[in-house]
Amino acid sequence: MDKKVVLITGCSSGIGLSLAVRLASDPEKTYKVYATMRNLAKKERLLGCVRELHRDTLDILQMDVTNQQSILQARDSVVEKRVDILGVGLMGPLEVQSLDTMRQILEVNLLGTIQTIQAFLPDMKAQCQGRILVTGSIGGLHGLPFNEVYCASKFAIEGACESLAIVLQHFNIHMSLIECGPVNTDFLDNQQKAELGDASLDQVDAATLDLYERYLHHCTAMFHNAAQDTEDIVKVFLSAIQASRPAFRYYTSGALPPLVRLKTSAPEGCRFIRAISQLIFPTDTAEQPP
Ligand SMILES: NC(=O)c1ccc[n+]([C@@H]2O[C@H](COP(=O)([O-])OP(=O)(O)OC[C@H]3O[C@@H](n4cnc5c(N)ncnc54)[C@H](OP(=O)(O)O)[C@@H]3O)[C@@H](O)[C@H]2O)c1
């Protein structure tokens, strides 16, 4: 049987790394994995996780999703392409975000993802088959305080994927979003985050800083109590890869759909905004919006 050829972005760490290791180490050698990363100096971590026995199922390629040339070079090195997964984050009061940093988030999370799909689409359409899996986030399903630009990038990718899926179904290409809540990766450490005490926060008013501090505490507690391991996320990716008719959305945790229902059940009201606020700032007695 022909191997399934899978291309994964962001394999230097986190979910991309775990997915590459799992697929390359498949006991049946079902997959040929093209694991891409923007900095090949980081490839030892991946190589260290894949046993010699399975190295023939793994190729590591350089690919920066914000650089079209590197995407095209990677594309030209593979036979088929099916999986896409990566992203970066940005956290802090909006007042202190620079335009350059905001652009970078949109470049990677939104345009990088779209540009990558764009490069592989003609071949996939010509073959009239394939799968595209994109890592979504709870931050693409509802707003999160102090994550305005990250959420904007993740909301935007939801819209892009929903729109594209309508066309792709006519080409037997399945698009799936794997919606994640908190996951135990370096994501929180890697993301560009305004740290309390940073000089950039000097210009922020005290009330906002107080909310930000409470949000950071909430985040730390949430990751401590509820973060999933990358292996849990990889299982969901595998369901989407192996299903004969994959769903458009997969939620990695049962905690996510109720939040989405809360939003869609009263889309016009502030009840949802208050509910999210109460989740994150539970002791808040501040005046509520009408
Ligand atoms: N962890 C969570 O709690 C969580 C929750 C919801 C959704 N997600 C989503 O999951 C995805 C993966 O995140 P993760 O948790 O695995 O975080 P991670 O460990 O920080 O991995 C992010 C990956 O993206 C790569 N990357 C960044 N910019 C790139 C570029 N321009 N071109 C190519 N690769 C680039 C990084 O490579 P370098 O090593 O070179 O920086 C790294 O491999 C993201 O889309 C994120 O939004 C994560």
Side-chain angles (χ1 to χ4, degrees), residues 10-16 37-39 42 63-66 85-88 108-109 135-138 150 154 180-183 185-187 190 223:
C11 294
S12 59
S13 66
I15 301 171
M37 55 186 74
R38 62 178 166 171
N39 181 1
K42 295 187 177 179
M63 182 162 134
D64 178 337
V65 298
T66 63
I85 155 174
L86 96 157
V88 292
V108 176
N109 287 359
T135 319
S137 167
I138 187 65
Y150 174 71
K154 290 296 193 183
C180 306
V183 187
T185 67
D186 298 335
F187 183 71
N190 286 346
F223 268 81

PDB file of all heavy atoms in Angstrom, residues 10-16 37-39 42 63-66 85-88 108-109 135-138 150 154 180-183 185-187 190 223, ligand 1:
ATOM      1  N   GLY A  10       6.065  23.670  11.657  1.00  0.00           N
ATOM      2  CA  GLY A  10       6.341  23.945  13.077  1.00  0.00           C
ATOM      3  C   GLY A  10       6.760  22.720  13.862  1.00  0.00           C
ATOM      4  O   GLY A  10       6.310  22.511  14.995  1.00  0.00           O
ATOM      5  N   CYS A  11       7.657  21.887  13.287  1.00  0.00           N
ATOM      6  CA  CYS A  11       8.016  20.618  13.944  1.00  0.00           C
ATOM      7  C   CYS A  11       9.196  20.754  14.908  1.00  0.00           C
ATOM      8  O   CYS A  11       9.707  19.747  15.397  1.00  0.00           O
ATOM      9  CB  CYS A  11       8.343  19.557  12.896  1.00  0.00           C
ATOM     10  SG  CYS A  11       6.898  19.117  11.938  1.00  0.00           S
ATOM     11  N   SER A  12       9.622  21.979  15.178  1.00  0.00           N
ATOM     12  CA  SER A  12      10.736  22.135  16.129  1.00  0.00           C
ATOM     13  C   SER A  12      10.266  21.951  17.558  1.00  0.00           C
ATOM     14  O   SER A  12      11.065  21.677  18.445  1.00  0.00           O
ATOM     15  CB  SER A  12      11.365  23.516  15.975  1.00  0.00           C
ATOM     16  OG  SER A  12      10.389  24.506  16.218  1.00  0.00           O
ATOM     17  N   SER A  13       8.946  22.088  17.802  1.00  0.00           N
ATOM     18  CA  SER A  13       8.455  21.975  19.177  1.00  0.00           C
ATOM     19  C   SER A  13       6.958  21.703  19.193  1.00  0.00           C
ATOM     20  O   SER A  13       6.294  21.698  18.156  1.00  0.00           O
ATOM     21  CB  SER A  13       8.739  23.283  19.947  1.00  0.00           C
ATOM     22  OG  SER A  13       7.981  24.340  19.399  1.00  0.00           O
ATOM     23  N   GLY A  14       6.454  21.473  20.418  1.00  0.00           N
ATOM     24  CA  GLY A  14       5.018  21.441  20.668  1.00  0.00           C
ATOM     25  C   GLY A  14       4.241  20.403  19.882  1.00  0.00           C
ATOM     26  O   GLY A  14       4.675  19.261  19.695  1.00  0.00           O
ATOM     27  N   ILE A  15       3.067  20.824  19.417  1.00  0.00           N
ATOM     28  CA  ILE A  15       2.131  19.914  18.759  1.00  0.00           C
ATOM     29  C   ILE A  15       2.725  19.389  17.452  1.00  0.00           C
ATOM     30  O   ILE A  15       2.624  18.195  17.140  1.00  0.00           O
ATOM     31  CB  ILE A  15       0.778  20.634  18.500  1.00  0.00           C
ATOM     32  CG1 ILE A  15       0.173  21.116  19.830  1.00  0.00           C
ATOM     33  CG2 ILE A  15      -0.188  19.711  17.775  1.00  0.00           C
ATOM     34  CD1 ILE A  15      -1.045  22.026  19.682  1.00  0.00           C
ATOM     35  N   GLY A  16       3.378  20.275  16.684  1.00  0.00           N
ATOM     36  CA  GLY A  16       3.989  19.859  15.411  1.00  0.00           C
ATOM     37  C   GLY A  16       5.027  18.770  15.634  1.00  0.00           C
ATOM     38  O   GLY A  16       5.060  17.760  14.911  1.00  0.00           O
ATOM     39  N   MET A  37      10.470  22.902   9.554  1.00  0.00           N
ATOM     40  CA  MET A  37      10.710  23.875  10.623  1.00  0.00           C
ATOM     41  C   MET A  37      11.472  25.043  10.026  1.00  0.00           C
ATOM     42  O   MET A  37      12.180  24.889   9.023  1.00  0.00           O
ATOM     43  CB  MET A  37      11.466  23.231  11.786  1.00  0.00           C
ATOM     44  CG  MET A  37      12.768  22.568  11.428  1.00  0.00           C
ATOM     45  SD  MET A  37      13.499  21.691  12.832  1.00  0.00           S
ATOM     46  CE  MET A  37      12.459  20.238  12.983  1.00  0.00           C
ATOM     47  N   ARG A  38      11.311  26.211  10.642  1.00  0.00           N
ATOM     48  CA  ARG A  38      11.963  27.371  10.014  1.00  0.00           C
ATOM     49  C   ARG A  38      13.453  27.399  10.299  1.00  0.00           C
ATOM     50  O   ARG A  38      14.196  28.042   9.584  1.00  0.00           O
ATOM     51  CB  ARG A  38      11.294  28.678  10.433  1.00  0.00           C
ATOM     52  CG  ARG A  38      11.360  28.971  11.902  1.00  0.00           C
ATOM     53  CD  ARG A  38      10.711  30.298  12.187  1.00  0.00           C
ATOM     54  NE  ARG A  38      10.477  30.439  13.618  1.00  0.00           N
ATOM     55  CZ  ARG A  38      10.078  31.534  14.190  1.00  0.00           C
ATOM     56  NH1 ARG A  38       9.826  32.592  13.457  1.00  0.00           N
ATOM     57  NH2 ARG A  38       9.879  31.591  15.495  1.00  0.00           N
ATOM     58  N   ASN A  39      13.881  26.724  11.359  1.00  0.00           N
ATOM     59  CA  ASN A  39      15.288  26.741  11.728  1.00  0.00           C
ATOM     60  C   ASN A  39      15.794  25.305  11.876  1.00  0.00           C
ATOM     61  O   ASN A  39      15.537  24.646  12.886  1.00  0.00           O
ATOM     62  CB  ASN A  39      15.434  27.528  13.047  1.00  0.00           C
ATOM     63  CG  ASN A  39      16.867  27.618  13.489  1.00  0.00           C
ATOM     64  OD1 ASN A  39      17.782  27.115  12.817  1.00  0.00           O
ATOM     65  ND2 ASN A  39      17.077  28.254  14.631  1.00  0.00           N
ATOM     66  N   LYS A  42      17.328  23.309  14.850  1.00  0.00           N
ATOM     67  CA  LYS A  42      16.536  22.706  15.927  1.00  0.00           C
ATOM     68  C   LYS A  42      16.125  21.262  15.630  1.00  0.00           C
ATOM     69  O   LYS A  42      15.315  20.678  16.341  1.00  0.00           O
ATOM     70  CB  LYS A  42      15.279  23.551  16.169  1.00  0.00           C
ATOM     71  CG  LYS A  42      15.567  24.941  16.696  1.00  0.00           C
ATOM     72  CD  LYS A  42      14.262  25.642  17.079  1.00  0.00           C
ATOM     73  CE  LYS A  42      14.542  27.018  17.691  1.00  0.00           C
ATOM     74  NZ  LYS A  42      13.299  27.720  18.045  1.00  0.00           N
ATOM     75  N   MET A  63      11.338  25.301   6.333  1.00  0.00           N
ATOM     76  CA  MET A  63      10.197  26.048   5.804  1.00  0.00           C
ATOM     77  C   MET A  63       9.762  27.118   6.803  1.00  0.00           C
ATOM     78  O   MET A  63       9.407  26.820   7.940  1.00  0.00           O
ATOM     79  CB  MET A  63       9.031  25.106   5.525  1.00  0.00           C
ATOM     80  CG  MET A  63       7.837  25.801   4.923  1.00  0.00           C
ATOM     81  SD  MET A  63       6.760  24.567   4.154  1.00  0.00           S
ATOM     82  CE  MET A  63       5.212  25.078   4.764  1.00  0.00           C
ATOM     83  N   ASP A  64       9.821  28.352   6.341  1.00  0.00           N
ATOM     84  CA  ASP A  64       9.318  29.483   7.133  1.00  0.00           C
ATOM     85  C   ASP A  64       8.031  29.917   6.445  1.00  0.00           C
ATOM     86  O   ASP A  64       8.061  30.322   5.274  1.00  0.00           O
ATOM     87  CB  ASP A  64      10.355  30.613   7.129  1.00  0.00           C
ATOM     88  CG  ASP A  64       9.888  31.846   7.901  1.00  0.00           C
ATOM     89  OD1 ASP A  64       8.669  32.026   8.059  1.00  0.00           O
ATOM     90  OD2 ASP A  64      10.749  32.617   8.334  1.00  0.00           O
ATOM     91  N   VAL A  65       6.910  29.832   7.152  1.00  0.00           N
ATOM     92  CA  VAL A  65       5.630  30.078   6.468  1.00  0.00           C
ATOM     93  C   VAL A  65       5.427  31.548   6.098  1.00  0.00           C
ATOM     94  O   VAL A  65       4.470  31.872   5.399  1.00  0.00           O
ATOM     95  CB  VAL A  65       4.423  29.588   7.302  1.00  0.00           C
ATOM     96  CG1 VAL A  65       4.489  28.107   7.530  1.00  0.00           C
ATOM     97  CG2 VAL A  65       4.306  30.349   8.607  1.00  0.00           C
ATOM     98  N   THR A  66       6.327  32.407   6.569  1.00  0.00           N
ATOM     99  CA  THR A  66       6.199  33.803   6.151  1.00  0.00           C
ATOM    100  C   THR A  66       7.088  34.103   4.940  1.00  0.00           C
ATOM    101  O   THR A  66       7.168  35.238   4.492  1.00  0.00           O
ATOM    102  CB  THR A  66       6.579  34.776   7.301  1.00  0.00           C
ATOM    103  OG1 THR A  66       7.952  34.577   7.642  1.00  0.00           O
ATOM    104  CG2 THR A  66       5.713  34.549   8.513  1.00  0.00           C
ATOM    105  N   ILE A  85       0.144  22.693  10.288  1.00  0.00           N
ATOM    106  CA  ILE A  85      -0.034  23.001  11.705  1.00  0.00           C
ATOM    107  C   ILE A  85       1.088  23.885  12.244  1.00  0.00           C
ATOM    108  O   ILE A  85       2.238  23.551  12.116  1.00  0.00           O
ATOM    109  CB  ILE A  85      -0.097  21.696  12.528  1.00  0.00           C
ATOM    110  CG1 ILE A  85       0.318  21.876  13.978  1.00  0.00           C
ATOM    111  CG2 ILE A  85       0.764  20.598  11.963  1.00  0.00           C
ATOM    112  CD1 ILE A  85       0.118  20.637  14.797  1.00  0.00           C
ATOM    113  N   LEU A  86       0.760  25.023  12.723  1.00  0.00           N
ATOM    114  CA  LEU A  86       1.744  25.882  13.396  1.00  0.00           C
ATOM    115  C   LEU A  86       1.094  27.111  13.999  1.00  0.00           C
ATOM    116  O   LEU A  86      -0.110  27.282  13.880  1.00  0.00           O
ATOM    117  CB  LEU A  86       2.838  26.349  12.425  1.00  0.00           C
ATOM    118  CG  LEU A  86       2.614  27.721  11.819  1.00  0.00           C
ATOM    119  CD1 LEU A  86       3.917  28.318  11.376  1.00  0.00           C
ATOM    120  CD2 LEU A  86       1.676  27.641  10.678  1.00  0.00           C
ATOM    121  N   GLY A  87       1.874  27.977  14.615  1.00  0.00           N
ATOM    122  CA  GLY A  87       1.313  29.231  15.110  1.00  0.00           C
ATOM    123  C   GLY A  87       2.151  29.878  16.186  1.00  0.00           C
ATOM    124  O   GLY A  87       3.008  29.252  16.782  1.00  0.00           O
ATOM    125  N   VAL A  88       1.908  31.165  16.400  1.00  0.00           N
ATOM    126  CA  VAL A  88       2.576  31.878  17.483  1.00  0.00           C
ATOM    127  C   VAL A  88       1.535  32.718  18.213  1.00  0.00           C
ATOM    128  O   VAL A  88       0.437  32.925  17.719  1.00  0.00           O
ATOM    129  CB  VAL A  88       3.695  32.814  16.947  1.00  0.00           C
ATOM    130  CG1 VAL A  88       4.837  32.017  16.378  1.00  0.00           C
ATOM    131  CG2 VAL A  88       3.150  33.786  15.929  1.00  0.00           C
ATOM    132  N   VAL A 108       2.246  35.136  10.516  1.00  0.00           N
ATOM    133  CA  VAL A 108       2.460  33.705  10.748  1.00  0.00           C
ATOM    134  C   VAL A 108       1.120  32.969  10.827  1.00  0.00           C
ATOM    135  O   VAL A 108       0.864  32.030  10.066  1.00  0.00           O
ATOM    136  CB  VAL A 108       3.260  33.467  12.057  1.00  0.00           C
ATOM    137  CG1 VAL A 108       3.394  31.980  12.326  1.00  0.00           C
ATOM    138  CG2 VAL A 108       4.630  34.107  11.957  1.00  0.00           C
ATOM    139  N   ASN A 109       0.269  33.406  11.766  1.00  0.00           N
ATOM    140  CA  ASN A 109      -0.943  32.623  12.050  1.00  0.00           C
ATOM    141  C   ASN A 109      -1.958  32.670  10.915  1.00  0.00           C
ATOM    142  O   ASN A 109      -2.631  31.675  10.649  1.00  0.00           O
ATOM    143  CB  ASN A 109      -1.613  33.132  13.326  1.00  0.00           C
ATOM    144  CG  ASN A 109      -0.849  32.733  14.574  1.00  0.00           C
ATOM    145  OD1 ASN A 109       0.178  32.060  14.482  1.00  0.00           O
ATOM    146  ND2 ASN A 109      -1.326  33.143  15.724  1.00  0.00           N
ATOM    147  N   THR A 135      -4.427  23.776  12.943  1.00  0.00           N
ATOM    148  CA  THR A 135      -4.612  23.866  14.390  1.00  0.00           C
ATOM    149  C   THR A 135      -5.404  25.115  14.719  1.00  0.00           C
ATOM    150  O   THR A 135      -4.921  26.229  14.526  1.00  0.00           O
ATOM    151  CB  THR A 135      -3.263  23.970  15.125  1.00  0.00           C
ATOM    152  OG1 THR A 135      -2.364  23.089  14.514  1.00  0.00           O
ATOM    153  CG2 THR A 135      -3.422  23.629  16.585  1.00  0.00           C
ATOM    154  N   GLY A 136      -6.612  24.916  15.192  1.00  0.00           N
ATOM    155  CA  GLY A 136      -7.426  26.038  15.650  1.00  0.00           C
ATOM    156  C   GLY A 136      -7.233  26.207  17.143  1.00  0.00           C
ATOM    157  O   GLY A 136      -6.457  25.482  17.782  1.00  0.00           O
ATOM    158  N   SER A 137      -7.934  27.157  17.692  1.00  0.00           N
ATOM    159  CA  SER A 137      -7.748  27.466  19.114  1.00  0.00           C
ATOM    160  C   SER A 137      -9.069  27.957  19.680  1.00  0.00           C
ATOM    161  O   SER A 137      -9.891  28.528  18.962  1.00  0.00           O
ATOM    162  CB  SER A 137      -6.697  28.558  19.237  1.00  0.00           C
ATOM    163  OG  SER A 137      -6.703  29.095  20.530  1.00  0.00           O
ATOM    164  N   ILE A 138      -9.218  27.761  20.982  1.00  0.00           N
ATOM    165  CA  ILE A 138     -10.371  28.354  21.653  1.00  0.00           C
ATOM    166  C   ILE A 138     -10.369  29.873  21.400  1.00  0.00           C
ATOM    167  O   ILE A 138     -11.413  30.497  21.294  1.00  0.00           O
ATOM    168  CB  ILE A 138     -10.351  28.020  23.179  1.00  0.00           C
ATOM    169  CG1 ILE A 138     -11.614  28.469  23.882  1.00  0.00           C
ATOM    170  CG2 ILE A 138      -9.113  28.570  23.865  1.00  0.00           C
ATOM    171  CD1 ILE A 138     -12.852  27.780  23.443  1.00  0.00           C
ATOM    172  N   TYR A 150      -3.926  37.937  18.756  1.00  0.00           N
ATOM    173  CA  TYR A 150      -3.872  36.477  18.597  1.00  0.00           C
ATOM    174  C   TYR A 150      -5.263  35.956  18.224  1.00  0.00           C
ATOM    175  O   TYR A 150      -5.409  35.172  17.277  1.00  0.00           O
ATOM    176  CB  TYR A 150      -3.380  35.813  19.899  1.00  0.00           C
ATOM    177  CG  TYR A 150      -3.428  34.303  19.855  1.00  0.00           C
ATOM    178  CD1 TYR A 150      -2.533  33.585  19.072  1.00  0.00           C
ATOM    179  CD2 TYR A 150      -4.393  33.594  20.575  1.00  0.00           C
ATOM    180  CE1 TYR A 150      -2.582  32.198  19.017  1.00  0.00           C
ATOM    181  CE2 TYR A 150      -4.452  32.209  20.529  1.00  0.00           C
ATOM    182  CZ  TYR A 150      -3.537  31.517  19.750  1.00  0.00           C
ATOM    183  OH  TYR A 150      -3.595  30.146  19.687  1.00  0.00           O
ATOM    184  N   LYS A 154      -6.662  34.019  14.864  1.00  0.00           N
ATOM    185  CA  LYS A 154      -7.283  32.687  14.918  1.00  0.00           C
ATOM    186  C   LYS A 154      -8.738  32.726  14.439  1.00  0.00           C
ATOM    187  O   LYS A 154      -9.215  31.784  13.817  1.00  0.00           O
ATOM    188  CB  LYS A 154      -7.181  32.104  16.335  1.00  0.00           C
ATOM    189  CG  LYS A 154      -5.756  31.713  16.732  1.00  0.00           C
ATOM    190  CD  LYS A 154      -5.239  30.586  15.829  1.00  0.00           C
ATOM    191  CE  LYS A 154      -3.980  29.936  16.322  1.00  0.00           C
ATOM    192  NZ  LYS A 154      -3.464  28.906  15.407  1.00  0.00           N
ATOM    193  N   CYS A 180      -8.092  23.505  19.798  1.00  0.00           N
ATOM    194  CA  CYS A 180      -7.417  23.158  21.061  1.00  0.00           C
ATOM    195  C   CYS A 180      -7.716  24.185  22.145  1.00  0.00           C
ATOM    196  O   CYS A 180      -7.750  25.384  21.883  1.00  0.00           O
ATOM    197  CB  CYS A 180      -5.909  23.154  20.879  1.00  0.00           C
ATOM    198  SG  CYS A 180      -5.313  22.139  19.549  1.00  0.00           S
ATOM    199  N   GLY A 181      -7.870  23.699  23.365  1.00  0.00           N
ATOM    200  CA  GLY A 181      -7.789  24.567  24.549  1.00  0.00           C
ATOM    201  C   GLY A 181      -6.325  24.601  24.947  1.00  0.00           C
ATOM    202  O   GLY A 181      -5.444  24.404  24.105  1.00  0.00           O
ATOM    203  N   PRO A 182      -6.027  24.816  26.236  1.00  0.00           N
ATOM    204  CA  PRO A 182      -4.613  24.857  26.636  1.00  0.00           C
ATOM    205  C   PRO A 182      -3.908  23.521  26.438  1.00  0.00           C
ATOM    206  O   PRO A 182      -4.478  22.469  26.729  1.00  0.00           O
ATOM    207  CB  PRO A 182      -4.670  25.223  28.127  1.00  0.00           C
ATOM    208  CG  PRO A 182      -6.077  25.052  28.550  1.00  0.00           C
ATOM    209  CD  PRO A 182      -6.949  25.099  27.336  1.00  0.00           C
ATOM    210  N   VAL A 183      -2.696  23.577  25.904  1.00  0.00           N
ATOM    211  CA  VAL A 183      -1.899  22.369  25.652  1.00  0.00           C
ATOM    212  C   VAL A 183      -0.517  22.572  26.283  1.00  0.00           C
ATOM    213  O   VAL A 183       0.042  23.664  26.194  1.00  0.00           O
ATOM    214  CB  VAL A 183      -1.722  22.112  24.133  1.00  0.00           C
ATOM    215  CG1 VAL A 183      -1.046  20.764  23.898  1.00  0.00           C
ATOM    216  CG2 VAL A 183      -3.044  22.188  23.392  1.00  0.00           C
ATOM    217  N   THR A 185       2.753  22.812  26.021  1.00  0.00           N
ATOM    218  CA  THR A 185       3.875  22.986  25.090  1.00  0.00           C
ATOM    219  C   THR A 185       4.639  24.223  25.569  1.00  0.00           C
ATOM    220  O   THR A 185       4.289  24.820  26.589  1.00  0.00           O
ATOM    221  CB  THR A 185       3.397  23.247  23.644  1.00  0.00           C
ATOM    222  OG1 THR A 185       2.742  24.515  23.609  1.00  0.00           O
ATOM    223  CG2 THR A 185       2.457  22.166  23.149  1.00  0.00           C
ATOM    224  N   ASP A 186       5.601  24.643  24.767  1.00  0.00           N
ATOM    225  CA  ASP A 186       6.329  25.869  25.120  1.00  0.00           C
ATOM    226  C   ASP A 186       5.579  27.109  24.635  1.00  0.00           C
ATOM    227  O   ASP A 186       6.118  28.214  24.691  1.00  0.00           O
ATOM    228  CB  ASP A 186       7.734  25.859  24.478  1.00  0.00           C
ATOM    229  CG  ASP A 186       8.567  24.714  24.996  1.00  0.00           C
ATOM    230  OD1 ASP A 186       8.292  24.250  26.126  1.00  0.00           O
ATOM    231  OD2 ASP A 186       9.492  24.266  24.283  1.00  0.00           O
ATOM    232  N   PHE A 187       4.354  26.900  24.145  1.00  0.00           N
ATOM    233  CA  PHE A 187       3.604  27.989  23.515  1.00  0.00           C
ATOM    234  C   PHE A 187       3.549  29.242  24.399  1.00  0.00           C
ATOM    235  O   PHE A 187       3.840  30.347  23.952  1.00  0.00           O
ATOM    236  CB  PHE A 187       2.198  27.495  23.193  1.00  0.00           C
ATOM    237  CG  PHE A 187       1.341  28.487  22.480  1.00  0.00           C
ATOM    238  CD1 PHE A 187       1.595  28.812  21.162  1.00  0.00           C
ATOM    239  CD2 PHE A 187       0.280  29.101  23.121  1.00  0.00           C
ATOM    240  CE1 PHE A 187       0.799  29.739  20.495  1.00  0.00           C
ATOM    241  CE2 PHE A 187      -0.515  30.020  22.467  1.00  0.00           C
ATOM    242  CZ  PHE A 187      -0.255  30.337  21.154  1.00  0.00           C
ATOM    243  N   ASN A 190       6.960  30.672  24.634  1.00  0.00           N
ATOM    244  CA  ASN A 190       7.465  31.169  23.343  1.00  0.00           C
ATOM    245  C   ASN A 190       6.757  32.427  22.884  1.00  0.00           C
ATOM    246  O   ASN A 190       7.294  33.196  22.100  1.00  0.00           O
ATOM    247  CB  ASN A 190       7.276  30.110  22.247  1.00  0.00           C
ATOM    248  CG  ASN A 190       8.273  28.973  22.398  1.00  0.00           C
ATOM    249  OD1 ASN A 190       9.241  29.108  23.131  1.00  0.00           O
ATOM    250  ND2 ASN A 190       8.017  27.858  21.727  1.00  0.00           N
ATOM    251  N   PHE A 223      -3.501  26.527  32.811  1.00  0.00           N
ATOM    252  CA  PHE A 223      -2.531  25.603  32.214  1.00  0.00           C
ATOM    253  C   PHE A 223      -2.150  24.526  33.217  1.00  0.00           C
ATOM    254  O   PHE A 223      -2.014  23.357  32.862  1.00  0.00           O
ATOM    255  CB  PHE A 223      -1.286  26.361  31.706  1.00  0.00           C
ATOM    256  CG  PHE A 223      -1.421  26.767  30.258  1.00  0.00           C
ATOM    257  CD1 PHE A 223      -2.145  27.895  29.909  1.00  0.00           C
ATOM    258  CD2 PHE A 223      -0.869  26.006  29.251  1.00  0.00           C
ATOM    259  CE1 PHE A 223      -2.306  28.266  28.573  1.00  0.00           C
ATOM    260  CE2 PHE A 223      -1.016  26.365  27.910  1.00  0.00           C
ATOM    261  CZ  PHE A 223      -1.730  27.499  27.574  1.00  0.00           C
TER     262      PHE A 223
HETATM  263  N1  LIG B   1      -0.271  25.349  23.358  1.00  0.00           N
HETATM  264  C1  LIG B   1      -1.503  25.816  23.497  1.00  0.00           C
HETATM  265  O1  LIG B   1      -2.000  26.021  24.611  1.00  0.00           O
HETATM  266  C2  LIG B   1      -2.355  26.041  22.273  1.00  0.00           C
HETATM  267  C3  LIG B   1      -3.740  26.237  22.459  1.00  0.00           C
HETATM  268  C4  LIG B   1      -4.548  26.441  21.344  1.00  0.00           C
HETATM  269  C5  LIG B   1      -3.977  26.448  20.072  1.00  0.00           C
HETATM  270  N2  LIG B   1      -2.632  26.279  19.932  1.00  0.00           N
HETATM  271  C6  LIG B   1      -2.089  26.347  18.584  1.00  0.00           C
HETATM  272  O2  LIG B   1      -1.245  25.221  18.344  1.00  0.00           O
HETATM  273  C7  LIG B   1      -0.304  25.563  17.342  1.00  0.00           C
HETATM  274  C8  LIG B   1       1.061  25.036  17.736  1.00  0.00           C
HETATM  275  O3  LIG B   1       1.457  25.634  18.950  1.00  0.00           O
HETATM  276  P1  LIG B   1       2.286  24.850  20.069  1.00  0.00           P
HETATM  277  O4  LIG B   1       1.450  24.825  21.295  1.00  0.00           O
HETATM  278  O5  LIG B   1       2.801  23.585  19.525  1.00  0.00           O
HETATM  279  O6  LIG B   1       3.436  25.938  20.339  1.00  0.00           O
HETATM  280  P2  LIG B   1       5.002  25.939  20.119  1.00  0.00           P
HETATM  281  O7  LIG B   1       5.627  24.783  20.826  1.00  0.00           O
HETATM  282  O8  LIG B   1       5.441  27.318  20.490  1.00  0.00           O
HETATM  283  O9  LIG B   1       5.172  25.712  18.555  1.00  0.00           O
HETATM  284  C9  LIG B   1       5.011  26.736  17.599  1.00  0.00           C
HETATM  285  C10 LIG B   1       5.757  26.317  16.360  1.00  0.00           C
HETATM  286  O10 LIG B   1       5.534  27.261  15.318  1.00  0.00           O
HETATM  287  C11 LIG B   1       6.797  27.477  14.698  1.00  0.00           C
HETATM  288  N3  LIG B   1       6.851  28.718  13.971  1.00  0.00           N
HETATM  289  C12 LIG B   1       6.741  29.983  14.448  1.00  0.00           C
HETATM  290  N4  LIG B   1       6.882  30.868  13.447  1.00  0.00           N
HETATM  291  C13 LIG B   1       7.097  30.154  12.315  1.00  0.00           C
HETATM  292  C14 LIG B   1       7.326  30.481  10.965  1.00  0.00           C
HETATM  293  N5  LIG B   1       7.372  31.752  10.553  1.00  0.00           N
HETATM  294  N6  LIG B   1       7.475  29.472  10.066  1.00  0.00           N
HETATM  295  C15 LIG B   1       7.452  28.198  10.444  1.00  0.00           C
HETATM  296  N7  LIG B   1       7.254  27.801  11.728  1.00  0.00           N
HETATM  297  C16 LIG B   1       7.081  28.779  12.643  1.00  0.00           C
HETATM  298  C17 LIG B   1       7.788  27.458  15.842  1.00  0.00           C
HETATM  299  O11 LIG B   1       9.109  27.309  15.339  1.00  0.00           O
HETATM  300  P3  LIG B   1      10.403  27.910  16.074  1.00  0.00           P
HETATM  301  O12 LIG B   1      10.883  26.823  17.010  1.00  0.00           O
HETATM  302  O13 LIG B   1      11.368  28.169  14.974  1.00  0.00           O
HETATM  303  O14 LIG B   1       9.981  29.147  16.810  1.00  0.00           O
HETATM  304  C18 LIG B   1       7.286  26.242  16.594  1.00  0.00           C
HETATM  305  O15 LIG B   1       7.741  25.031  16.025  1.00  0.00           O
HETATM  306  C19 LIG B   1      -0.439  27.082  17.180  1.00  0.00           C
HETATM  307  O16 LIG B   1      -1.217  27.322  16.018  1.00  0.00           O
HETATM  308  C20 LIG B   1      -1.207  27.552  18.386  1.00  0.00           C
HETATM  309  O17 LIG B   1      -1.949  28.719  18.110  1.00  0.00           O
HETATM  310  C21 LIG B   1      -1.809  26.067  21.001  1.00  0.00           C
END
